[in-house]
Amino acid sequence: MNPLAHMDLIGTVVLPLAAILFGFPFFGWAKPVPVNPRNLRRPREDMFWIALAGPLSNVLFAFVGAFLLMGAFYFLAVGGGDAAGGSVRALAEMLKVFVLITLFLALFNMIPLHPLDGGKVLARFLPEDINRKLEDNQPMVSWALILVFVMGGFRYLAIPVYAVFEWILGFALGMTRMILS
């Protein structure tokens, strides 16, 4: 379970450093976790669940962040001291960013193209020959995804992500108000 084994020189080091140094949009990737389908009893069905686990864990983390955010809202509402209140406000802002990023990752990874988890989820429902063609074109699709990102095409992902984010924030605030009353 060495995280360095998943490090990709370009996607994990060069692009994030370029983003920090030159103000580019932050973008990167890591090497995928290798899964040997021969170790699976039902490869098509099991790969579906393996691929779904990543985006679902992002959604779970978003809800964990919302739960922690409820705690921060509660602390601020009951009158945390000035010094502590400033720290809790900073923590609440970081938790908001955390929730937002995990929601973006969940939706991005569910795009039904093959280098992403969504492609493997879609593969469960496609005929084998079509799925094989999509898998064979993974490198080309990866570059197309990077091009779409650089050209700003992923801004459309923000529409549903911000809608869910606002709902989660509203839920956290509503639950905090309910606890306080």
Side-chain angles (χ1 to χ4, degrees):
M1 292 303 221
N2 180 4
L4 294 178
H6 303 287
M7 195 167 106
D8 180 81
L9 181 64
I10 301 295
T12 312
V13 179
V14 174
L15 286 178
L17 278 176
I20 292 168
L21 294 174
F22 303 113
F24 295 153
F26 202 84
F27 188 74
W29 61 82
K31 293 178 187 172
V33 177
V35 176
N36 187 345
R38 286 179 275 179
N39 292 336
L40 306 174
R41 287 189 189 146
R42 299 172 323 243
R44 268 176 86 95
E45 293 84 10
D46 294 344
M47 192 60 79
F48 167 82
W49 292 108
I50 291 168
L52 202 56
L56 285 178
S57 68
N58 287 124
V59 172
L60 175 67
F61 284 137
F63 278 99
V64 168
F67 179 76
L68 294 172
L69 196 54
M70 284 173 28
F73 288 157
Y74 179 82
F75 183 82
L76 291 170
V78 295
D82 287 337
S87 297
V88 173
R89 273 188 286 285
L91 175 64
E93 289 304 313
M94 286 189 285
L95 286 168
K96 287 179 189 177
V97 171
F98 173 77
V99 169
L100 192 59
I101 288 172
T102 56
L103 290 173
F104 266 108
L105 287 172
L107 185 61
F108 174 76
N109 281 317
M110 284 306 294
I111 293 173
L113 297 173
H114 246 291
L116 304 174
D117 289 328
K120 290 168 183 60
V121 169
L122 179 66
R124 164 78 169 83
F125 306 103
L126 292 176
E128 188 64 36
D129 58 326
I130 293 174
N131 186 48
R132 177 65 50 210
K133 288 178 185 175
L134 291 173
E135 283 181 357
D136 291 344
N137 289 315
Q138 271 185 320
M140 184 67 73
V141 174
S142 296
W143 285 109
L145 281 171
I146 292 170
L147 184 64
V148 168
F149 174 78
V150 169
M151 295 179 72
F154 287 154
R155 68 179 168 265
Y156 299 108
L157 286 178
I159 297 167
V161 168
Y162 275 105
V164 173
F165 176 68
E166 292 296 326
W167 181 85
I168 288 175
L169 275 183
F171 176 79
L173 279 170
M175 291 300 291
T176 305
R177 286 186 188 120
M178 189 174 79
I179 291 168
L180 289 170
S181 56

